[in-house]
Amino acid sequence: MDILRSFLNELKMIYRSKSMIFLTIVVPIALMLILGYIFPSMINPQNYRVAVYNEDTGEYSKVILSLVYGMLKGDSFKSVSSYAELTKGLNDGTFDGAIVIPTGFSKNVENSNNFSLNFMPSTANIQTSVVIYQALRSILSEVSNGVMIYNILELYKKPNAKIPIGPPQLSFEGPSGANLNYIDFMIPGIAALIAMASIAITLSTSVSYEREHGILNGIIVSNVNRSLYLSGKTLAYTMDGVIKGAIALLTAQIYFGSGFNAPLRTLLILALGSFAFASFGIIISTLSPNQKISSAIIIGYVVPTIFVSGLFMPIDQMPHVAQIISKFFPLTFMADAMQRVNILNYQISQILTDIIPLLIYAAVAIFIALMVFSRIEKLEEV
C-alpha cells in the first residue's frame, strides 16, 4: 500500500496543474509531427543539386562519371563547362556541391600514381554540402567495385599494361584549397548548441525558483531597479553560455585541430546568440507559475530547435513550412554564422544576414522580458 500511495501522490504532484497536463500532451505530439515531417525529405537524393566539372579528358574520367550517374538520379547532376560557372553556382546556391575530376586523373591512374576526385562545397549551403559529401563517400565505395572490375578487365586485355586496381579517393576541397572533413562543419554548431543548452538548464528555473522561495516578493517590495536587476541576470546567463561554448571550442581545437579559427568573431557571435536565448528564457521563467512548468516549456522549445536549426540536417532540404519555422529560433542564425566564420573565414560584414536577425531577436526578447518583469506584482496576484 505504501508504494501505491507514493505512486499516486507523485502523479498528483506532477499533474497538479492544467498547464502541466497540457504540456504533457502537446509537447510529444508537436515533436513527433516536426521530426516526422522533416526527415522524409532529407533522404531523397533528388533534392540535391550537384555540379560535375571534368577537367580531365581521359578514358578513366568518363568511366567514373558513368558509374556515378548510374548509381544516382541523373537529374541530380549538372555538367558545367567552365570553372567560372562552377564557382558562381556554388557561391549563389545554384549548386549544393560539386564533383571535380582534376586534370591528369586518367594519366595518374594509368601510371599507378595517387589519384583522387575533389568535392567542392557550396558556400551558400554548407550543411547540404556536408550531407552530399558523406553520401558521395558511401557511393564511391560502391563505385570502387566498378573501377576494380574495369581495371581487371583492362589487365586481362593488356597483360603487360601497368594499371592499378585500387579505387580513387574523394577529397574535400575547402574554400582555400585545404582539405576539410565532416567534423570541421559540425564543431561550430555543436558549440552553439552547448551554449544554448547550458543556458536552458540553468535559466529555466531562475525566476520560478525565486518566486517559490519568496525571493521575488522581497524584490517587489524593495527599491531595487527591476530593469537593472533583470539585465544583470540576463548578462550573467549570457556569460555562462559564452564560457561553456568557448570551452567546447577550445576542446575541439585541441583534439580535432578545428573550431577556434577566428576567436574574436566566434566569441562575439556566441555572446549575441546567448544573450538572445537568455532573454527569451527569462520571459518563460517569469511567466511560469513554478519550476516544473518553466522547465517543460524550455525543453519543448529547445528540442525542436536542435532539429530545425540546421545542425544535423540542411535547412534548404527541409519542407517549406519547416524552413519558415527555423527562422524563429536564434540557434539557426547563431550556428550558421559560427560555421561561416570558422570554416569560410567570413568577416562580420559578410554574415549580416545572420547577425541582424540575432540582434532583432535579442532586442525584442529583452524588451518583452523587461516589460513583463516590471509588472511582476500583477503576475503574483494572478
Side-chain angles (χ1 to χ4, degrees):
M1 290 299 295
D2 289 340
I3 188 172
L4 179 61
R5 188 180 299 110
S6 174
F7 170 74
L8 294 175
N9 287 337
E10 196 61 32
L11 279 181
K12 290 179 181 178
M13 290 294 293
I14 295 174
Y15 300 110
R16 65 182 183 272
S17 67
K18 295 180 180 179
S19 301
M20 184 58 68
I21 297 175
F22 174 78
L23 291 172
T24 301
I25 297 173
V26 170
V27 170
I29 293 175
L31 292 179
M32 182 54 66
L33 289 176
I34 291 173
L35 299 182
Y37 188 48
I38 291 174
F39 273 107
S41 65
M42 297 301 304
I43 58 177
N44 188 355
Q46 294 181 352
N47 293 331
Y48 301 130
R49 301 156 299 180
V50 182
V52 177
Y53 181 50
N54 187 5
E55 297 177 329
D56 185 76
T57 57
E59 186 176 359
Y60 276 91
S61 64
K62 298 175 183 177
V63 173
I64 288 292
L65 287 179
S66 64
L67 288 170
V68 172
Y69 285 149
M71 304 194 80
L72 287 177
K73 296 289 183 181
D75 294 340
S76 301
F77 294 88
K78 180 182 177 181
S79 179
V80 295
S81 57
S82 67
Y83 190 79
E85 181 185 358
L86 175 66
T87 54
K88 181 179 181 299
L90 291 174
N91 291 332
D92 62 19
T94 301
F95 305 127
D96 297 317
I99 299 174
V100 178
I101 302 178
T103 302
F105 177 83
S106 296
K107 186 176 181 180
N108 287 333
V109 173
E110 294 173 357
N111 295 332
S112 299
N113 296 327
N114 292 329
F115 50 93
S116 64
L117 302 174
N118 296 330
F119 178 80
M120 294 181 64
S122 168
T123 56
N125 305 317
I126 298 178
Q127 298 95 336
T128 304
S129 293
V130 175
V131 173
I132 294 174
Y133 174 65
Q134 295 300 307
L136 287 175
R137 287 190 62 181
S138 299
I139 293 170
L140 191 61
S141 66
E142 299 296 329
V143 172
S144 300
N145 297 329
V147 174
M148 292 172 67
I149 293 173
Y150 178 83
N151 287 338
I152 291 172
L153 292 175
E154 287 297 304
L155 285 172
Y156 179 77
K157 296 176 183 177
K158 306 172 184 178
N160 297 325
K162 188 178 180 183
I163 299 176
I165 297 179
Q169 301 297 316
L170 181 66
S171 64
F172 199 117
E173 185 175 310
S176 302
N179 285 339
L180 299 174
N181 54 47
Y182 184 71
I183 193 66
D184 293 325
F185 285 89
M186 297 302 299
I187 287 171
I190 292 175
L193 175 61
I194 290 172
M196 191 191 74
S198 66
I199 295 173
I201 293 171
T202 54
L203 180 60
S204 61
T205 60
S206 175
V207 180
S208 301
Y209 175 87
E210 294 175 352
R211 175 183 288 111
E212 292 181 7
H213 290 77
I215 301 173
L216 200 56
N217 290 329
I219 296 174
I220 291 174
V221 300
S222 69
N223 59 355
V224 173
N225 187 304
R226 296 178 190 177
S227 296
L228 294 179
Y229 175 80
L230 190 69
S231 298
K233 182 184 288 289
T234 305
L235 289 174
Y237 287 107
T238 299
M239 180 61 70
D240 179 60
V242 171
I243 291 173
K244 291 176 180 174
I247 291 174
L249 288 171
L250 283 173
T251 303
Q253 189 68 45
I254 293 172
Y255 285 95
F256 303 110
S258 177
F260 234 156
N261 300 325
L264 292 179
R265 281 169 281 167
T266 301
L267 290 176
L268 176 62
I269 298 168
L270 265 177
L272 182 56
S274 297
F275 182 80
F277 183 75
S279 301
F280 174 80
I282 288 287
I283 298 173
I284 299 301
S285 188
T286 303
L287 294 175
S288 301
N290 56 62
Q291 297 183 52
K292 287 188 176 181
I293 291 179
S294 177
S295 299
I297 295 175
I298 291 289
I299 292 173
Y301 174 86
V302 170
V303 173
T305 298
I306 297 173
F307 295 99
V308 301
S309 59
L311 295 182
F312 305 107
M313 58 193 73
I315 294 176
D316 65 315
Q317 295 299 314
M318 296 178 187
H320 185 65
V321 174
Q323 293 183 35
I324 296 175
I325 293 174
S326 69
K327 305 303 181 184
F328 291 92
F329 297 104
L331 183 60
T332 300
F333 305 101
M334 183 180 177
D336 185 68
M338 290 178 63
Q339 286 175 337
R340 294 182 184 280
V341 164
N342 284 280
I343 297 169
L344 305 178
N345 197 30
Y346 275 18
Q347 301 298 317
I348 296 298
S349 60
Q350 295 175 286
I351 55 171
L352 292 179
T353 52
D354 291 318
I355 296 297
I356 292 176
L358 280 176
L359 287 171
I360 294 173
Y361 195 102
V364 172
I366 192 63
F367 174 78
I368 295 175
L370 291 171
M371 184 175 62
V372 171
F373 197 77
S374 66
R375 302 177 182 178
I376 192 67
E377 60 274 332
K378 293 183 179 180
L379 292 175
E380 293 302 289
E381 292 175 2
V382 175

